[in-house]
Amino acid sequence: MLKALRWNTNTLEVLDQTALPHEELWISCDNAEDVAKTIVEMKVRGAPAIGAAAAFGAALEAQRLRDLSLDTFRREMTKSLERLGATRPTAVNLFWAIERMTKTLKRPAENAGQLADWIRSEAEQIALEDVATNRAIGRHGADLFDKPVEILTHCNTGSLATVDFGTALGVIRTLAEDGKLTHVWVDETRPYLQGARLTAYELCQDGIPHTLITDNMAAHFMKQGRVDAVIVGADRIARNGDTANKIGTYGLAVLCAYHEIPFYVAAPLSTFDLSIASGEFIPIEERSAEEVTSIRGHRISPQQTSAAHPAFDVTPHSLITGIITERGVIHAPTEERILTWMGDGKESTE
Ligand code: MRU
């Protein structure tokens, strides 16, 4: 399976996802700034992958600074973590990973070298956990279906968007392994085309039958009865279950409600942001208008025409059938259910 990141003790290579599917280019990163650039430039993207990349960026920086005094090390590392945190605003996994690094940085230590080793271990731990998490999400998600299904998905949530395997695409992969997947509808995901370029690529590699559609075709195939469920990923889930994900997700949820099709979000617990009450507080990244007026450098609209480009939208929790996490499925998510469920780890039963 193609991975987003290649980590080997003290070296990090990032797969340039902007070059896919035509070229497989690896970018070598030496420090936190190199990694921050790959995140800003979308060479690495997808909430869990961004979190893991930032953690490895911190690990690289820590190795570079390990001979400094403890105070100077902590001060310089704090600056690097701030830089990594300023790359993309919506995916909370980034801030979750940085928070884990910050906690490690604050541990009492004998010298900077010791802290640097702990930071590296913490980054490796984040990556290891993500792989196990995605497998568990895949299992819980696939168990929701008892007969072969056609799934529609949006954006890219596979091994390229995580450390390995994927979240929503992990559920799709598990369904395929279980012999319960007939076909996948892949939304192209305008304007950045994560579906057309990345999800289609991953599905080709796995030999999973799929058809690429433009985002405005979803309603048509739903009406024809060709979509049994929609499964998407998430960038941030508020305390009440409102979910930010790639622009276009909210529209899919509305269509699902109209056609009475289950709409599932697949995401690790690290994507929940319990500090915010609802989706209205989720910061939405605004990207350049040029990504809308041009496709891969080719201008498609008049020079004078401007464009809007919110990179994410928020789906209200009332439209979500269930959130598939590594601990199970939170059905019909509400604040009460999420808090109870996060507190005691119990699955909701309705
Ligand atoms: O802008 P991107 O490509 O980083 O957006 C990615 C998404 O919206 C994904 O659906 C989300 O991060 C979940 S990835 C497992």
Side-chain angles (χ1 to χ4, degrees), residues 15 25 36 88 93-94 114 129 151 186 200 204 217 219 237 241 248 253 264 283 288 296 303 313 328 330 338 343 350:
L15 178 62
L25 298 175
R88 294 193 70 192
N93 310 58
L94 173 67
Q114 191 176 38
E129 284 170 17
I151 302 291
V186 179
C204 283
M217 294 177 189
I237 304 174
Y264 288 105
S288 93
R296 312 218 88 193
Q303 285 299 340
D313 58 26
I330 310 174
I338 289 173
E350 277 168 49

Side-chain angles (χ1 to χ4, degrees), residues 2-204:
L2 199 55
K3 293 192 184 186
L5 306 168
R6 275 203 303 228
W7 171 256
N8 194 355
T9 322
N10 280 329
T11 60
L12 178 70
E13 286 177 295
V14 172
L15 178 62
D16 181 356
Q17 297 191 28
T18 63
L20 288 175
H22 305 299
E23 270 181 293
E24 201 183 300
L25 298 175
W26 288 90
I27 301 161
S28 196
C29 294
D30 292 327
N31 51 46
E33 180 56 31
D34 287 353
V35 177
K37 273 198 197 124
T38 64
I39 299 174
V40 169
E41 292 168 6
M42 304 270 287
K43 312 270 189 212
V44 58
R45 29 67 50 203
I50 294 172
F56 284 132
L60 286 176
E61 193 68 16
Q63 293 312 312
R64 205 172 70 82
L65 304 176
R66 61 180 296 134
D67 293 329
L68 295 178
S69 73
L70 253 180
D71 280 355
T72 319
F73 177 83
R74 285 202 174 99
R75 202 172 46 245
E76 292 302 310
M77 280 303 296
T78 304
K79 279 192 219 155
S80 295
L81 291 174
E82 279 166 12
R83 165 68 180 126
L84 287 162
T87 49
R88 294 193 70 192
T90 305
V92 78
N93 310 58
L94 173 67
F95 306 100
W96 167 86
I98 289 173
E99 182 56 30
R100 281 179 65 161
M101 291 295 145
T102 306
K103 271 198 188 138
T104 310
L105 194 60
K106 285 185 182 155
R107 277 174 65 183
E110 280 165 24
N111 52 47
Q114 191 176 38
L115 274 183
D117 290 345
W118 289 340
I119 285 170
R120 181 178 56 207
S121 304
E122 190 67 7
E124 288 169 351
Q125 188 58 30
I126 285 175
L128 274 177
E129 284 170 17
D130 189 61
V131 181
T133 292
N134 293 333
R135 288 277 173 182
I137 289 173
R139 183 72 270 139
H140 290 301
D143 287 348
L144 287 166
F145 304 95
D146 48 18
K147 58 178 186 2
V149 281
E150 291 197 66
I151 302 291
L152 188 147
T153 192
H154 191 66
C155 199
N156 172 263
T157 59
S159 57
L160 293 168
T162 58
V163 176
D164 206 355
F165 201 63
T167 56
L169 210 61
V171 175
I172 289 169
R173 287 195 155 110
T174 311
L175 282 167
E177 283 168 9
D178 289 358
K180 287 194 296 189
L181 181 76
T182 42
H183 177 248
V184 185
W185 298 101
V186 179
D187 259 6
E188 74 169 346
T189 320
R190 274 279 287 151
Y192 219 77
L193 307 178
Q194 288 93 332
R197 296 188 302 105
L198 309 175
T199 301
Y201 187 59
E202 289 200 43
L203 292 174
C204 283

